[in-house]
Amino acid sequence: MEVADLSLDDVDALLAAALVLGDAHDREDLLQRILEQTSTLIPADLCTFNWLSSSHVDYVVRLATPEAHRYDDLRPIFDRLWNDNPLIDHFERTGDTRALTWADVEGDGAWRSGPLFREYYEVLGVRHQLALRVPSPPGTVAGLACSRAAVDFNDRERALLTAFGRHVIARNGQLAEHAGLRAAMGRRGWRTHLVGADGTLADESEDAVVADASGILYPSVADLVERQRATTGDGRSVPGDPEEVELPDGPFVAFLVPSAMPPYLLFERPLASEDHSDFDSAMLRALGLSARESEVVSRLATGATNRQIADSLGIAVGTVKKHLQRVFAVLGVETRAAAAAKAVRLLR
């Protein structure tokens, strides 16, 4: 069964599960939601999200039974023998992105006479497994697995996990990208907020200057979010340009980093000052930027708009845009937000 052949009820269940993942605030929260929703979509005795390498083994577990101690007692065996799993071997050799079972890849089933199955899975009562590979750094195997003792997993369950896995991969990648961007921009004084599709803050920010006490974005910020979350003509979501917004606490600069699914990243900071002395322009020039281009980058990374950059340097807005085109090429980026983030990383 192909993913496209799932029933309307299955599609609705997948959408509901994806929305639950979208509400995750950090990686730990996301992993718990992944296992919870996987168990809802596909009945199993054991669900795990694994990170496996020759030097380190880690995983998050969700059991359908309260006998967690049995799993813990057997963990040293898994830590030693995990690489004998035929699914791991298949994913490593082929790069297959589908959810597959042991029966799909084990051939004559001879591996069941080996130590991993006999000393670990068989002791746990596991006779069937359905797993999906998740992109991971070189040397690491990451994956989502469902295991059970009863009947083998069917085509519908394969299709469900394959489709759900796409949401898992997308949200996991989004969180990782967000974490890096938040850290880099935070070092330059930008504060970050998660914004939901309904125009409210999705995180708990007690002192958020962009929203009222109930979490509803102020009109100037809501307008910015609505404009900047729109995709480009080819369907891509790209960071918006920093814009000046008037807030109860005074003038601020803000921009949005949208994504295929909410929540979105909203960056804000007080209107840029004229003091750019903390940027090492010599470092920027060493990358191949001219002195003027370095000045543009230094102001860009503080959140200044094109107009503010132009006014502070005494040049036209069109000239700023031309400088930015050159900056993007030298830094290997395509957007203002990416240029600012890269400059911050290089100069931290």
Side-chain angles (χ1 to χ4, degrees), residues 117-178:
F117 185 82
R118 288 187 294 102
E119 298 176 25
Y120 181 73
Y121 287 113
E122 195 167 46
V123 175
L124 285 174
V126 170
R127 299 200 61 81
H128 308 284
Q129 187 171 90
L130 175 67
L132 177 83
R133 174 78 181 267
V134 176
S136 59
T140 302
V141 178
L144 177 61
C146 302
S147 304
R148 66 190 183 200
V151 296
D152 202 354
F153 298 90
N154 56 37
D155 288 345
R156 171 180 167 273
E157 290 168 325
R158 287 184 183 85
L160 273 172
L161 189 61
T162 298
F164 184 57
R166 294 171 184 170
H167 295 290
V168 169
I169 292 168
R171 186 66 179 119
N172 188 53
Q174 182 189 29
L175 270 185
E177 179 182 347
H178 282 185

Short mmCIF file of all heavy atoms in Angstrom, two decimals, residues 117-178:
data_model
loop_
_atom_site.label_atom_id
_atom_site.label_comp_id
_atom_site.label_asym_id
_atom_site.label_seq_id
_atom_site.Cartn_x
_atom_site.Cartn_y
_atom_site.Cartn_z
N PHE A 117 18.53 -11.35 18.61
CA PHE A 117 17.13 -11.78 18.69
C PHE A 117 16.92 -12.70 19.88
O PHE A 117 15.98 -12.51 20.66
CB PHE A 117 16.71 -12.49 17.40
CG PHE A 117 15.24 -12.84 17.38
CD1 PHE A 117 14.30 -11.89 17.03
CD2 PHE A 117 14.81 -14.11 17.74
CE1 PHE A 117 12.94 -12.21 17.04
CE2 PHE A 117 13.47 -14.44 17.75
CZ PHE A 117 12.53 -13.48 17.39
N ARG A 118 17.78 -13.70 20.07
CA ARG A 118 17.56 -14.70 21.12
C ARG A 118 17.71 -14.11 22.53
O ARG A 118 16.94 -14.43 23.44
CB ARG A 118 18.54 -15.87 20.95
CG ARG A 118 18.22 -16.76 19.75
CD ARG A 118 19.11 -17.99 19.71
NE ARG A 118 20.51 -17.65 19.47
CZ ARG A 118 21.44 -17.61 20.41
NH1 ARG A 118 21.14 -17.90 21.67
NH2 ARG A 118 22.70 -17.30 20.10
N GLU A 119 18.71 -13.24 22.72
CA GLU A 119 19.00 -12.75 24.07
C GLU A 119 18.24 -11.46 24.41
O GLU A 119 18.15 -11.11 25.59
CB GLU A 119 20.51 -12.50 24.21
CG GLU A 119 21.36 -13.74 24.03
CD GLU A 119 22.84 -13.41 24.08
OE1 GLU A 119 23.21 -12.38 24.71
OE2 GLU A 119 23.64 -14.17 23.47
N TYR A 120 17.72 -10.81 23.40
CA TYR A 120 17.08 -9.51 23.67
C TYR A 120 15.61 -9.52 23.25
O TYR A 120 14.71 -9.52 24.10
CB TYR A 120 17.84 -8.40 22.95
CG TYR A 120 17.27 -7.02 23.20
CD1 TYR A 120 17.42 -6.39 24.43
CD2 TYR A 120 16.56 -6.36 22.20
CE1 TYR A 120 16.87 -5.13 24.66
CE2 TYR A 120 16.02 -5.10 22.42
CZ TYR A 120 16.18 -4.49 23.65
OH TYR A 120 15.64 -3.26 23.88
N TYR A 121 15.36 -9.55 21.95
CA TYR A 121 13.98 -9.42 21.48
C TYR A 121 13.11 -10.60 21.93
O TYR A 121 11.97 -10.41 22.38
CB TYR A 121 13.94 -9.29 19.96
CG TYR A 121 14.42 -7.95 19.46
CD1 TYR A 121 15.60 -7.83 18.72
CD2 TYR A 121 13.71 -6.77 19.75
CE1 TYR A 121 16.05 -6.60 18.27
CE2 TYR A 121 14.15 -5.54 19.30
CZ TYR A 121 15.31 -5.45 18.56
OH TYR A 121 15.76 -4.23 18.12
N GLU A 122 13.62 -11.79 21.81
CA GLU A 122 12.82 -12.96 22.19
C GLU A 122 12.52 -12.96 23.69
O GLU A 122 11.41 -13.32 24.11
CB GLU A 122 13.55 -14.24 21.80
CG GLU A 122 12.66 -15.47 21.84
CD GLU A 122 13.31 -16.65 21.15
OE1 GLU A 122 14.52 -16.91 21.41
OE2 GLU A 122 12.62 -17.32 20.35
N VAL A 123 13.46 -12.52 24.49
CA VAL A 123 13.23 -12.44 25.94
C VAL A 123 12.15 -11.41 26.25
O VAL A 123 11.32 -11.60 27.17
CB VAL A 123 14.54 -12.09 26.68
CG1 VAL A 123 14.28 -11.88 28.17
CG2 VAL A 123 15.58 -13.17 26.47
N LEU A 124 12.12 -10.33 25.48
CA LEU A 124 11.08 -9.31 25.68
C LEU A 124 9.73 -9.73 25.10
O LEU A 124 8.72 -9.06 25.34
CB LEU A 124 11.51 -7.99 25.00
CG LEU A 124 12.58 -7.17 25.71
CD1 LEU A 124 13.00 -5.99 24.84
CD2 LEU A 124 12.08 -6.66 27.06
N GLY A 125 9.72 -10.82 24.34
CA GLY A 125 8.49 -11.26 23.70
C GLY A 125 8.23 -10.60 22.36
O GLY A 125 7.14 -10.70 21.81
N VAL A 126 9.23 -9.91 21.83
CA VAL A 126 9.08 -9.20 20.55
C VAL A 126 9.40 -10.14 19.39
O VAL A 126 10.46 -10.75 19.35
CB VAL A 126 10.03 -7.97 20.49
CG1 VAL A 126 10.05 -7.38 19.09
CG2 VAL A 126 9.59 -6.93 21.50
N ARG A 127 8.45 -10.26 18.45
CA ARG A 127 8.67 -11.10 17.27
C ARG A 127 8.57 -10.33 15.97
O ARG A 127 8.89 -10.85 14.90
CB ARG A 127 7.68 -12.27 17.27
CG ARG A 127 7.81 -13.18 18.49
CD ARG A 127 7.18 -14.53 18.21
NE ARG A 127 7.81 -15.22 17.10
CZ ARG A 127 8.94 -15.92 17.18
NH1 ARG A 127 9.59 -16.00 18.34
NH2 ARG A 127 9.42 -16.54 16.13
N HIS A 128 8.09 -9.09 16.03
CA HIS A 128 7.91 -8.30 14.81
C HIS A 128 8.33 -6.85 15.07
O HIS A 128 8.10 -6.31 16.16
CB HIS A 128 6.46 -8.34 14.35
CG HIS A 128 5.90 -9.73 14.24
ND1 HIS A 128 6.21 -10.57 13.20
CD2 HIS A 128 5.07 -10.42 15.07
CE1 HIS A 128 5.58 -11.73 13.37
NE2 HIS A 128 4.88 -11.66 14.50
N GLN A 129 8.94 -6.24 14.07
CA GLN A 129 9.36 -4.85 14.21
C GLN A 129 9.13 -4.08 12.91
O GLN A 129 9.36 -4.62 11.82
CB GLN A 129 10.83 -4.75 14.62
CG GLN A 129 11.28 -3.32 14.95
CD GLN A 129 12.68 -3.28 15.54
OE1 GLN A 129 13.65 -3.16 14.81
NE2 GLN A 129 12.76 -3.41 16.87
N LEU A 130 8.69 -2.85 13.06
CA LEU A 130 8.51 -1.92 11.95
C LEU A 130 9.34 -0.68 12.28
O LEU A 130 9.20 -0.11 13.36
CB LEU A 130 7.03 -1.53 11.81
CG LEU A 130 6.67 -0.47 10.77
CD1 LEU A 130 6.91 -0.99 9.36
CD2 LEU A 130 5.20 -0.05 10.93
N ALA A 131 10.23 -0.28 11.38
CA ALA A 131 11.15 0.81 11.69
C ALA A 131 11.32 1.75 10.51
O ALA A 131 11.08 1.40 9.35
CB ALA A 131 12.51 0.25 12.12
N LEU A 132 11.77 2.96 10.85
CA LEU A 132 11.98 4.02 9.87
C LEU A 132 13.29 4.73 10.20
O LEU A 132 13.53 5.08 11.36
CB LEU A 132 10.82 5.03 9.93
CG LEU A 132 10.90 6.24 9.02
CD1 LEU A 132 10.39 5.87 7.62
CD2 LEU A 132 10.04 7.37 9.58
N ARG A 133 14.14 4.93 9.22
CA ARG A 133 15.40 5.65 9.41
C ARG A 133 15.14 7.15 9.38
O ARG A 133 14.40 7.65 8.53
CB ARG A 133 16.39 5.26 8.30
CG ARG A 133 17.69 6.07 8.30
CD ARG A 133 18.62 5.58 9.38
NE ARG A 133 19.85 6.36 9.41
CZ ARG A 133 20.98 6.05 8.75
NH1 ARG A 133 21.00 4.98 7.98
NH2 ARG A 133 22.05 6.79 8.88
N VAL A 134 15.76 7.88 10.28
CA VAL A 134 15.67 9.34 10.34
C VAL A 134 17.05 9.91 10.02
O VAL A 134 18.06 9.37 10.49
CB VAL A 134 15.22 9.79 11.75
CG1 VAL A 134 15.21 11.31 11.86
CG2 VAL A 134 13.83 9.23 12.06
N PRO A 135 17.13 10.96 9.21
CA PRO A 135 18.45 11.55 8.89
C PRO A 135 19.24 11.86 10.15
O PRO A 135 18.70 12.36 11.14
CB PRO A 135 18.08 12.83 8.13
CG PRO A 135 16.75 12.53 7.51
CD PRO A 135 16.04 11.67 8.51
N SER A 136 20.54 11.57 10.10
CA SER A 136 21.39 11.75 11.28
C SER A 136 22.80 12.07 10.82
O SER A 136 23.16 11.84 9.66
CB SER A 136 21.38 10.49 12.14
OG SER A 136 21.84 9.38 11.40
N PRO A 137 23.65 12.59 11.73
CA PRO A 137 25.03 12.90 11.36
C PRO A 137 25.79 11.65 10.95
O PRO A 137 25.42 10.53 11.33
CB PRO A 137 25.60 13.49 12.66
CG PRO A 137 24.42 13.95 13.44
CD PRO A 137 23.33 12.99 13.11
N PRO A 138 26.85 11.80 10.17
CA PRO A 138 27.66 10.64 9.78
C PRO A 138 28.13 9.85 11.00
O PRO A 138 28.51 10.42 12.01
CB PRO A 138 28.85 11.28 9.04
CG PRO A 138 28.34 12.59 8.55
CD PRO A 138 27.36 13.06 9.59
N GLY A 139 28.07 8.52 10.88
CA GLY A 139 28.50 7.66 11.97
C GLY A 139 27.43 7.37 13.00
O GLY A 139 27.65 6.64 13.95
N THR A 140 26.25 7.96 12.81
CA THR A 140 25.14 7.77 13.74
C THR A 140 23.93 7.23 13.00
O THR A 140 23.63 7.67 11.89
CB THR A 140 24.76 9.09 14.43
OG1 THR A 140 25.89 9.62 15.10
CG2 THR A 140 23.62 8.88 15.42
N VAL A 141 23.25 6.28 13.60
CA VAL A 141 21.99 5.76 13.07
C VAL A 141 20.87 6.25 13.97
O VAL A 141 20.88 5.98 15.17
CB VAL A 141 22.00 4.22 13.01
CG1 VAL A 141 20.66 3.71 12.49
CG2 VAL A 141 23.13 3.71 12.14
N ALA A 142 19.92 6.96 13.41
CA ALA A 142 18.75 7.42 14.17
C ALA A 142 17.51 6.84 13.53
O ALA A 142 17.42 6.75 12.30
CB ALA A 142 18.69 8.95 14.19
N GLY A 143 16.57 6.41 14.36
CA GLY A 143 15.38 5.81 13.79
C GLY A 143 14.24 5.68 14.78
O GLY A 143 14.41 5.79 16.00
N LEU A 144 13.06 5.47 14.23
CA LEU A 144 11.82 5.28 14.99
C LEU A 144 11.37 3.86 14.76
O LEU A 144 11.25 3.42 13.61
CB LEU A 144 10.78 6.28 14.51
CG LEU A 144 9.37 6.23 15.11
CD1 LEU A 144 9.42 6.48 16.61
CD2 LEU A 144 8.48 7.26 14.42
N ALA A 145 11.13 3.10 15.84
CA ALA A 145 10.79 1.69 15.70
C ALA A 145 9.59 1.33 16.55
O ALA A 145 9.44 1.79 17.68
CB ALA A 145 11.98 0.82 16.10
N CYS A 146 8.74 0.47 15.99
CA CYS A 146 7.60 -0.11 16.71
C CYS A 146 7.81 -1.62 16.77
O CYS A 146 8.14 -2.23 15.75
CB CYS A 146 6.29 0.18 15.98
SG CYS A 146 5.92 1.91 15.72
N SER A 147 7.61 -2.21 17.94
CA SER A 147 7.82 -3.65 18.10
C SER A 147 6.62 -4.26 18.81
O SER A 147 6.01 -3.62 19.67
CB SER A 147 9.08 -3.92 18.93
OG SER A 147 10.22 -3.30 18.35
N ARG A 148 6.30 -5.51 18.45
CA ARG A 148 5.20 -6.20 19.14
C ARG A 148 5.32 -7.71 19.03
O ARG A 148 6.10 -8.21 18.20
CB ARG A 148 3.84 -5.71 18.62
CG ARG A 148 3.51 -6.03 17.20
CD ARG A 148 2.25 -5.27 16.77
NE ARG A 148 1.82 -5.58 15.42
CZ ARG A 148 1.02 -4.82 14.68
NH1 ARG A 148 0.56 -3.68 15.19
NH2 ARG A 148 0.68 -5.17 13.47
N ALA A 149 4.56 -8.39 19.85
CA ALA A 149 4.64 -9.84 19.91
C ALA A 149 3.63 -10.52 19.01
O ALA A 149 3.86 -11.63 18.53
CB ALA A 149 4.40 -10.30 21.35
N ALA A 150 2.49 -9.88 18.77
CA ALA A 150 1.39 -10.52 18.05
C ALA A 150 1.66 -10.54 16.54
O ALA A 150 2.78 -10.77 16.11
CB ALA A 150 0.09 -9.82 18.38
N VAL A 151 0.65 -10.26 15.75
CA VAL A 151 0.76 -10.36 14.29
C VAL A 151 1.74 -9.33 13.75
O VAL A 151 1.98 -8.29 14.37
CB VAL A 151 -0.62 -10.15 13.64
CG1 VAL A 151 -1.57 -11.25 14.04
CG2 VAL A 151 -1.19 -8.79 14.00
N ASP A 152 2.28 -9.64 12.58
CA ASP A 152 3.23 -8.74 11.95
C ASP A 152 2.51 -7.45 11.50
O ASP A 152 1.28 -7.40 11.41
CB ASP A 152 3.87 -9.42 10.74
CG ASP A 152 5.21 -8.80 10.36
OD1 ASP A 152 5.59 -7.78 10.97
OD2 ASP A 152 5.87 -9.34 9.45
N PHE A 153 3.28 -6.44 11.23
CA PHE A 153 2.73 -5.17 10.77
C PHE A 153 2.29 -5.30 9.31
O PHE A 153 2.95 -5.98 8.51
CB PHE A 153 3.78 -4.06 10.90
CG PHE A 153 4.20 -3.83 12.32
CD1 PHE A 153 5.27 -4.53 12.87
CD2 PHE A 153 3.52 -2.92 13.13
CE1 PHE A 153 5.65 -4.33 14.19
CE2 PHE A 153 3.89 -2.72 14.45
CZ PHE A 153 4.96 -3.42 14.99
N ASN A 154 1.17 -4.64 8.98
CA ASN A 154 0.62 -4.79 7.64
C ASN A 154 0.97 -3.59 6.75
O ASN A 154 1.63 -2.64 7.17
CB ASN A 154 -0.90 -4.98 7.71
CG ASN A 154 -1.61 -3.85 8.46
OD1 ASN A 154 -1.23 -2.67 8.34
ND2 ASN A 154 -2.64 -4.19 9.22
N ASP A 155 0.50 -3.65 5.50
CA ASP A 155 0.82 -2.59 4.53
C ASP A 155 0.30 -1.23 4.99
O ASP A 155 0.96 -0.21 4.78
CB ASP A 155 0.22 -2.94 3.17
CG ASP A 155 0.96 -4.08 2.49
OD1 ASP A 155 2.08 -4.39 2.92
OD2 ASP A 155 0.41 -4.65 1.53
N ARG A 156 -0.87 -1.22 5.58
CA ARG A 156 -1.44 0.05 6.04
C ARG A 156 -0.55 0.68 7.11
O ARG A 156 -0.28 1.88 7.09
CB ARG A 156 -2.85 -0.16 6.60
CG ARG A 156 -3.43 1.05 7.30
CD ARG A 156 -4.83 0.78 7.84
NE ARG A 156 -5.24 1.83 8.76
CZ ARG A 156 -4.95 1.83 10.06
NH1 ARG A 156 -4.25 0.82 10.59
NH2 ARG A 156 -5.34 2.83 10.83
N GLU A 157 -0.06 -0.15 8.03
CA GLU A 157 0.79 0.37 9.09
C GLU A 157 2.15 0.83 8.55
O GLU A 157 2.72 1.81 9.02
CB GLU A 157 0.96 -0.69 10.18
CG GLU A 157 -0.33 -0.92 10.96
CD GLU A 157 -0.29 -2.15 11.84
OE1 GLU A 157 0.34 -3.15 11.44
OE2 GLU A 157 -0.89 -2.12 12.93
N ARG A 158 2.65 0.12 7.54
CA ARG A 158 3.87 0.60 6.88
C ARG A 158 3.65 1.99 6.29
O ARG A 158 4.48 2.89 6.43
CB ARG A 158 4.28 -0.36 5.76
CG ARG A 158 4.85 -1.69 6.19
CD ARG A 158 5.28 -2.46 4.92
NE ARG A 158 5.78 -3.79 5.22
CZ ARG A 158 5.02 -4.86 5.37
NH1 ARG A 158 3.69 -4.74 5.32
NH2 ARG A 158 5.55 -6.04 5.62
N ALA A 159 2.52 2.15 5.58
CA ALA A 159 2.24 3.43 4.94
C ALA A 159 2.03 4.54 5.98
O ALA A 159 2.46 5.68 5.78
CB ALA A 159 1.00 3.29 4.05
N LEU A 160 1.38 4.20 7.07
CA LEU A 160 1.15 5.19 8.14
C LEU A 160 2.47 5.68 8.72
O LEU A 160 2.69 6.88 8.89
CB LEU A 160 0.29 4.58 9.24
CG LEU A 160 -1.23 4.67 9.08
CD1 LEU A 160 -1.91 3.84 10.17
CD2 LEU A 160 -1.71 6.11 9.15
N LEU A 161 3.38 4.74 9.05
CA LEU A 161 4.65 5.15 9.65
C LEU A 161 5.52 5.91 8.65
O LEU A 161 6.21 6.86 9.01
CB LEU A 161 5.41 3.95 10.20
CG LEU A 161 6.65 4.31 11.03
CD1 LEU A 161 6.26 5.14 12.25
CD2 LEU A 161 7.41 3.06 11.48
N THR A 162 5.48 5.50 7.39
CA THR A 162 6.22 6.23 6.36
C THR A 162 5.74 7.67 6.27
O THR A 162 6.55 8.61 6.24
CB THR A 162 6.07 5.54 4.99
OG1 THR A 162 6.62 4.21 5.05
CG2 THR A 162 6.78 6.33 3.90
N ALA A 163 4.42 7.85 6.23
CA ALA A 163 3.87 9.21 6.13
C ALA A 163 4.14 10.01 7.40
O ALA A 163 4.51 11.19 7.33
CB ALA A 163 2.36 9.13 5.87
N PHE A 164 3.96 9.39 8.56
CA PHE A 164 4.21 10.09 9.81
C PHE A 164 5.69 10.44 9.94
O PHE A 164 6.05 11.49 10.47
CB PHE A 164 3.77 9.23 10.99
CG PHE A 164 3.90 9.91 12.33
CD1 PHE A 164 3.27 11.12 12.59
CD2 PHE A 164 4.67 9.34 13.34
CE1 PHE A 164 3.40 11.75 13.81
CE2 PHE A 164 4.80 9.96 14.56
CZ PHE A 164 4.16 11.17 14.80
N GLY A 165 6.54 9.55 9.44
CA GLY A 165 7.98 9.80 9.50
C GLY A 165 8.38 11.07 8.80
O GLY A 165 9.32 11.76 9.21
N ARG A 166 7.70 11.43 7.74
CA ARG A 166 8.01 12.68 7.03
C ARG A 166 7.75 13.89 7.93
O ARG A 166 8.51 14.86 7.91
CB ARG A 166 7.18 12.76 5.76
CG ARG A 166 7.55 11.69 4.72
CD ARG A 166 6.60 11.65 3.56
NE ARG A 166 6.94 10.56 2.64
CZ ARG A 166 6.16 10.16 1.65
NH1 ARG A 166 5.01 10.78 1.43
NH2 ARG A 166 6.54 9.16 0.85
N HIS A 167 6.67 13.82 8.70
CA HIS A 167 6.40 14.91 9.64
C HIS A 167 7.44 14.94 10.76
O HIS A 167 7.87 16.00 11.21
CB HIS A 167 5.00 14.76 10.24
CG HIS A 167 3.89 14.91 9.24
ND1 HIS A 167 3.59 16.12 8.66
CD2 HIS A 167 3.03 14.00 8.71
CE1 HIS A 167 2.58 15.95 7.81
NE2 HIS A 167 2.22 14.68 7.83
N VAL A 168 7.84 13.75 11.22
CA VAL A 168 8.86 13.65 12.27
C VAL A 168 10.17 14.28 11.78
O VAL A 168 10.80 15.09 12.48
CB VAL A 168 9.10 12.18 12.66
CG1 VAL A 168 10.34 12.04 13.54
CG2 VAL A 168 7.87 11.62 13.39
N ILE A 169 10.58 13.91 10.58
CA ILE A 169 11.84 14.41 10.03
C ILE A 169 11.78 15.92 9.85
O ILE A 169 12.71 16.65 10.20
CB ILE A 169 12.15 13.71 8.70
CG1 ILE A 169 12.46 12.23 8.95
CG2 ILE A 169 13.30 14.39 7.98
CD1 ILE A 169 12.49 11.39 7.69
N ALA A 170 10.65 16.41 9.32
CA ALA A 170 10.52 17.84 9.09
C ALA A 170 10.56 18.62 10.39
O ALA A 170 11.25 19.65 10.51
CB ALA A 170 9.22 18.13 8.33
N ARG A 171 9.83 18.15 11.41
CA ARG A 171 9.77 18.89 12.67
C ARG A 171 11.09 18.78 13.43
O ARG A 171 11.54 19.76 14.05
CB ARG A 171 8.62 18.34 13.54
CG ARG A 171 8.40 19.13 14.82
CD ARG A 171 7.92 20.53 14.51
NE ARG A 171 7.67 21.30 15.71
CZ ARG A 171 8.30 22.42 16.04
NH1 ARG A 171 9.22 22.92 15.24
NH2 ARG A 171 8.01 23.05 17.15
N ASN A 172 11.73 17.61 13.36
CA ASN A 172 13.03 17.45 14.02
C ASN A 172 14.06 18.39 13.40
O ASN A 172 14.82 19.06 14.10
CB ASN A 172 13.48 16.00 13.90
CG ASN A 172 14.73 15.71 14.73
OD1 ASN A 172 14.77 16.00 15.91
ND2 ASN A 172 15.73 15.14 14.09
N GLY A 173 14.07 18.46 12.07
CA GLY A 173 14.99 19.36 11.39
C GLY A 173 14.69 20.82 11.68
O GLY A 173 15.59 21.64 11.85
N GLN A 174 13.39 21.14 11.75
CA GLN A 174 12.99 22.52 12.04
C GLN A 174 13.47 22.94 13.42
O GLN A 174 13.99 24.04 13.60
CB GLN A 174 11.47 22.64 11.94
CG GLN A 174 10.95 24.06 12.18
CD GLN A 174 9.43 24.09 12.28
OE1 GLN A 174 8.79 23.13 12.70
NE2 GLN A 174 8.85 25.20 11.89
N LEU A 175 13.29 22.06 14.41
CA LEU A 175 13.72 22.39 15.77
C LEU A 175 15.24 22.58 15.84
O LEU A 175 15.73 23.49 16.51
CB LEU A 175 13.29 21.30 16.75
CG LEU A 175 11.93 21.44 17.40
CD1 LEU A 175 11.72 20.32 18.42
CD2 LEU A 175 11.76 22.79 18.08
N ALA A 176 15.98 21.71 15.15
CA ALA A 176 17.44 21.83 15.16
C ALA A 176 17.88 23.13 14.51
O ALA A 176 18.75 23.84 15.01
CB ALA A 176 18.06 20.64 14.43
N GLU A 177 17.25 23.48 13.39
CA GLU A 177 17.59 24.74 12.71
C GLU A 177 17.23 25.93 13.58
O GLU A 177 18.00 26.89 13.70
CB GLU A 177 16.84 24.81 11.38
CG GLU A 177 17.10 26.09 10.60
CD GLU A 177 16.31 26.15 9.30
OE1 GLU A 177 15.76 25.10 8.90
OE2 GLU A 177 16.24 27.22 8.70
N HIS A 178 16.05 25.86 14.21
CA HIS A 178 15.62 26.96 15.08
C HIS A 178 16.58 27.14 16.25
O HIS A 178 16.92 28.27 16.62
CB HIS A 178 14.21 26.67 15.61
CG HIS A 178 13.15 26.96 14.61
ND1 HIS A 178 11.81 26.88 14.90
CD2 HIS A 178 13.20 27.33 13.30
CE1 HIS A 178 11.10 27.19 13.83
NE2 HIS A 178 11.92 27.45 12.85
#
